[in-house]
């Protein structure tokens, strides 16, 4: 009984700020904007935005993979440092997150725009300005910069707990460094990889500010469309339907990654 009472504030919090908002989204997604009656027209009307959905998924996955390629060696290097140096390097990684997300994105606008820092430097070298902004590459760059810490920190949490005796045993048994990495370190870090991919993909697929500032009409993401439905098109029912489908997509991706993570852990432990 006492444990239930201790959990009461959390249950109330969950009900007020998670269950109730989700219920409101579901209600608007499944009702008509004029009559308020039940309808599936909001969901069926999303076919016109299928290409934007696919673009959002593709750019988010690509950004998550780039974060993995960059973040994995960084996390491994930090995990091999002393405890005091690890804390210092973690602070450096988290330091940009103390700044506003909007300011960090606007800083890249100032660097990438046609009269920005990079193109100004190129003009001094006699090179014509490059199309650095309003491209898919700029949007991916913004995603990678803003969400890279979400990849490094889960990887670091897993790698710092790896048993060094397993690595020593593999080396003593004659495994070269490449085999030690592929057969011991990489499989044992699968949980961190899956957590990092999830933590990067989820905010990236639903973002809208990055694509607005660094992209163009050709890089519109589903988050931009949802925002426009509420602010400019004044069709909250269609916006709620898009939010509902996006939420289901995110839950499905998280469930799949968790399923692979559980099966991967069992296989790795069996091999080790």
């Amino acid at each position: 009984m006492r444990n239930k009472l201790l959990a009461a504030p959390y249950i109330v919090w969950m009900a007020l700020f998670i269950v109730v908002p989700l219920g409101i989204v579901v209600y608007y997604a499944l009702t008509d904007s004029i009559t308020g009656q039940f309808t599936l027209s909001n969901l069926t009307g999303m076919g016109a935005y299928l290409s934007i959905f696919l673009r959002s998924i593709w750019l988010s996955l690509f950004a998550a993979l780039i974060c993995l390629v960059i973040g994995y060696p960084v996390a491994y290097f930090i995990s091999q440092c002393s405890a005091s140096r690890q804390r210092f390097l973690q602070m450096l990684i988290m330091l940009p997150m103390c700044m506003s997300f909007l300011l960090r994105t606007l800083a890249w606008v100032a660097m990438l725009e046609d009269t920005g820092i990079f193109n100004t430097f190129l003009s001094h070298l006699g090179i014509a300005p490059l199309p650095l902004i309003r491209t898919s590459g700029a949007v991916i760059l913004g995603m990678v910069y803003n969400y890279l810490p979400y990849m490094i920190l889960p990887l670091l949490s897993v790698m710092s707990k790896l048993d060094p005796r397993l690595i020593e045993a593999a080396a003593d048994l004659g495994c070269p460094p490449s085999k030690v990495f592929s057969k011991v370190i990489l499989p044992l870090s699968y949980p961190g990889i899956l957590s990092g991919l999830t933590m990067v993909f989820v905010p990236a697929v639903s973002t809208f500010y990055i694509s607005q500032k660094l992209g163009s009409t050709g890089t519109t993401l589903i988050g931009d469309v949802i925002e426009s439905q509420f602010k400019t098109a004044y069709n909250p029912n269609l916006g709620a339907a898009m939010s509902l489908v996006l939420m289901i997509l995110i839950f499905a991706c998280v469930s799949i990654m968790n399923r692979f993570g559980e099966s991967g852990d069992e296989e790795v432990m069996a091999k080790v």
Side-chain angles (χ1 to χ4, degrees):
M1 183 65 181
R2 183 179 179 182
N3 293 336
K4 294 181 179 180
L5 291 177
L6 292 175
Y10 176 73
I11 295 174
V12 173
W13 179 275
M14 291 279 290
L16 290 178
F17 298 104
I18 297 181
V19 178
V20 173
L22 289 180
I24 295 174
V25 170
V26 173
Y27 170 78
Y28 275 97
L30 300 178
T31 55
D32 183 74
S33 59
I34 299 176
T35 62
Q37 296 180 349
F38 174 81
T39 180
L40 296 177
S41 59
N42 297 319
L43 297 175
T44 58
M46 293 172 50
Y49 302 97
L50 179 60
S51 61
I52 298 178
F53 261 105
L54 296 178
R55 182 190 304 134
S56 301
I57 295 172
W58 162 245
L59 293 180
S60 302
L61 285 175
F62 197 70
L65 291 176
I66 293 177
C67 287
L68 176 60
V69 172
I70 298 174
Y72 195 95
V74 173
Y76 182 75
F77 170 78
I78 296 176
S79 67
Q80 301 302 306
C81 297
S82 61
S84 59
R85 183 169 293 184
Q86 282 189 31
R87 290 192 292 269
F88 175 73
L89 293 176
Q90 288 184 54
M91 182 195 68
L92 293 182
I93 292 172
M94 299 179 64
L95 192 60
M97 301 174 66
C98 299
M99 186 185 300
S100 170
F101 177 86
L102 306 182
L103 291 178
R104 282 182 280 151
T105 305
L106 287 175
W108 276 106
V109 174
M111 289 188 287
L112 298 178
E113 62 184 353
D114 297 337
T115 57
I117 297 174
F118 291 152
N119 277 321
T120 299
F121 176 75
L122 293 177
S123 64
H124 289 322
L125 298 177
I127 302 175
L130 300 176
L132 301 177
I133 202 170
R134 293 180 291 277
T135 62
S136 298
V139 175
I140 294 175
L141 175 62
M143 291 179 179
V144 171
Y145 173 74
N146 282 289
Y147 302 130
L148 182 59
Y150 299 139
M151 176 64 71
I152 296 177
L153 295 178
L155 285 170
L156 178 59
S157 177
V158 172
M159 291 182 178
S160 60
K161 298 176 183 178
L162 294 181
D163 191 344
R165 292 175 297 179
L166 295 175
I167 301 175
E168 295 175 359
D172 291 340
L173 292 173
C175 284
S178 59
K179 287 289 186 179
V180 172
F181 173 77
S182 62
K183 298 296 184 180
V184 179
I185 299 175
L186 183 60
L188 291 176
S189 60
Y190 280 163
I193 294 175
L194 294 175
S195 297
L197 289 174
T198 303
M199 294 183 67
V200 173
F201 175 78
V202 169
V205 76
S206 58
T207 189
F208 59 92
Y209 190 78
I210 294 175
S211 55
Q212 290 179 1
K213 294 302 179 181
L214 298 177
S216 63
T217 56
T219 57
T220 301
L221 303 181
I222 191 60
D224 302 313
V225 179
I226 293 174
E227 184 197 27
S228 67
Q229 294 301 320
F230 284 95
K231 289 187 175 181
T232 58
Y234 302 107
N235 191 354
N237 296 76
L238 181 57
M242 293 181 179
S243 301
L244 179 61
V245 173
L246 183 61
M247 180 175 59
I248 294 173
L249 172 66
I250 291 174
F251 284 160
C253 292
V254 172
S255 300
I256 292 173
M257 290 184 179
N258 288 338
R259 179 65 60 85
F260 277 115
E262 292 175 359
S263 60
D265 289 347
E266 295 175 357
E267 292 178 2
V268 169
M269 295 308 298
K271 292 179 180 179
V272 173

